[in-house]
Amino acid sequence: MKYSTLQGASYVLVHTPDMIEHNGTTVMTEKITTPDSDYLKSLYDNIRTYDQIVDYAPNQTFIGNMDYDQLKEIPQPWVNQENPPKGKRFGEFGEIMPELDFYGLLQIADVFELVHLEENFAEEVRTALSNHPLFKDDVEKIKHEKPLAWLEEEIAENAAEGLYYNRQLVGCVSRAHQIDVNLNAHVMLENLVVKASGILALRHLFADQKIDPAKIDYVIECSEEACGDMNQRGGGNFAKSIAELCGCVNATGSDIRSFCAGPTHALINAASLVAAGTHKNVVVVAGGASAKLGMNGKSHVGKGFPILEDVLGGFAAVISENDGKHPVIRHDLTGMHKVSSGSSPQAVTTALIGDALTKANLSIEDVDVYSVEMQNPDITKPAGAGDVPLSNLKMIGAIGVLRGDIAKPDLMKFVNEKALVGWAPTQGHIPSGVPYLGFATKDLTSGDKNRAMIVGKGSLFLGRMTNLFDGVSIMIERNDGKVDEPSGDVEALVKQEVAKALKKFAASLSED
């Protein structure tokens, strides 16, 4: 059987403090329901600075400057570390971008002249991006400058969505249609945020992994937003729009949606397309969700923490033909939460983990890494969700006990040996299995790991269409170095074999 390989992955974060107030659903709801709340009055007192974001250990792990084992050694909560190690903006996997630069990316991503920046602010953005290695050639796209009075009128009279920096109005996004609710300014901003952060992640993937964008055949976008108009809500296509601005001139693409599980669905699809020979190089990419900024902020502040959901997340990964070196994606070893699987934690874990192991005739312990819902516990614990990666691993261990793979007294030994700490922001789809892909390219080649399982879980009931959960998993293994030879033309192979047989027969006659 032919397999595809994981060639590399990139990860990006964008610090967006002003978007917490103006675009995060929690604060937007608070403004409507309790406009005089103490939470709103002290909002900016509880928002971290860019430097604090960069120095934050989980963020440095996300972009590859810190190994997950190093993060595991730092006492939690990480946000309370008084003297954190000095972080860097750029890492092995990507970068942490400030808000000012990102507003420039919004305009670069905009091809319908909907994003407008205030005149002086636009010049600041141009200056910042002229020093960025991935966007210095796009500076001329920072245009459509407007005076402040025009921006204020566009917001007041035409329902534009404001853009703010240091609590000052610096731009706006205009609506794309007078009536269509799916093209209003709020939705257009959310969609442009997905596109811009996706572009940032994909450009990093190409630059950091030294990949020629022209060699990409197909792009799959797997965020949680959905673009379209009133006639085709969610019709897409984020994938092709991102590919267009990343130099993927020979690619097409499509969007995959399944709430938080979307990226793992996309990974399985990409691996299958390459293994089948449909495409040679497939990219999976996802941008960030502005709606989830500050989602659990009230809980964080209530526990004495700053607002920790203050970054957009993005990632990209490239899946290619087997080169005999990179980790092999076993598209034949998948788990899935079926319609009939049930919704209890045990049923979900059995469907996603146990069934895949049974297919492979492996035990729970034969997998070195389980990457499941890699949410940062600093964020989830104050919100009452506990340590999500640890809880998942305990359930996996419990399934191992039921399967007879490990003895019950060895359960916590299994958990302690296999546990990954969560380092991803709670952007929904961003933490779901895929944060480990960047490390997997090293662990399964030059490292000491042989097998990892990527698990995506989702909450389909959020769409109010079903009460079902969702989830899929896939195995990734160290490459054994064997590369399948191309089959070539069947007729030519037959002729070649016939010729060999005739030659051998002729030789036998001459010997007689």
Side-chain angles (χ1 to χ4, degrees), residues 249-503:
V249 294
N250 295 311
T252 186
S254 61
D255 300 345
I256 285 181
R257 296 291 177 267
S258 193
F259 289 97
C260 299
T264 310
H265 280 283
L267 183 62
I268 294 171
N269 275 268
S272 301
L273 286 170
V274 173
T278 308
H279 299 293
K280 291 185 176 182
N281 301 291
V282 178
V283 160
V284 172
V285 61
S290 56
K292 292 194 172 175
L293 291 167
M295 185 169 56
N296 294 291
K298 293 181 72 174
S299 297
H300 297 153
V301 173
K303 297 292 174 58
F305 289 175
I307 297 171
L308 296 171
E309 292 154 319
D310 47 11
V311 290
L312 300 167
F315 88 95
V318 61
I319 293 86
S320 302
E321 294 177 308
N322 191 354
D323 59 0
K325 175 185 175 183
H326 286 90
V328 170
I329 305 175
R330 293 292 303 271
H331 63 274
D332 57 328
L333 298 182
T334 60
M336 62 181 182
H337 184 269
K338 302 173 185 176
V339 170
S340 59
S341 293
S343 59
S344 70
Q346 179 179 326
V348 173
T349 305
T350 299
L352 297 179
I353 309 296
D355 291 355
L357 293 174
T358 298
K359 285 182 186 179
N361 195 27
L362 296 172
S363 78
I364 287 282
E365 292 192 291
D366 289 331
V367 177
D368 299 301
V369 174
Y370 292 94
S371 182
V372 188
E373 296 183 295
M374 297 305 296
Q375 285 102 331
N376 175 352
D378 271 8
I379 299 173
T380 56
K381 283 183 176 180
D387 188 326
V388 179
L390 183 61
S391 297
N392 276 296
L393 197 58
K394 287 180 179 178
M395 181 54 66
I396 292 171
I399 295 299
V401 172
L402 292 175
R403 285 167 50 95
D405 293 342
I406 56 177
K408 189 173 182 179
D410 294 330
L411 174 60
M412 288 313 299
K413 178 184 176 183
F414 167 86
V415 171
N416 293 331
E417 288 178 352
K418 303 284 187 180
L420 293 180
V421 292
W423 62 82
T426 50
Q427 282 272 287
H429 56 298
I430 295 299
S432 196
V434 292
Y436 178 69
L437 294 179
F439 291 109
T441 58
K442 297 187 297 182
D443 287 352
L444 300 176
T445 51
S446 59
D448 61 353
K449 305 291 191 297
N450 292 306
R451 191 175 288 114
M453 185 180 286
I454 307 299
V455 185
K457 294 164 69 176
S459 307
L460 293 183
F461 48 80
L462 295 173
R464 306 306 195 269
M465 292 289 109
T466 177
N467 285 313
L468 293 175
F469 283 90
D470 183 43
V472 287
S473 65
I474 188 167
M475 198 83 74
I476 303 179
E477 296 179 340
R478 181 181 289 269
N479 202 315
D480 62 8
K482 297 178 182 178
V483 180
D484 294 325
E485 294 295 329
S487 59
D489 181 73
V490 174
E491 184 178 352
L493 288 174
V494 171
K495 288 180 178 179
Q496 185 180 14
E497 292 303 314
V498 170
K500 286 181 181 179
L502 290 174
K503 185 177 180 180

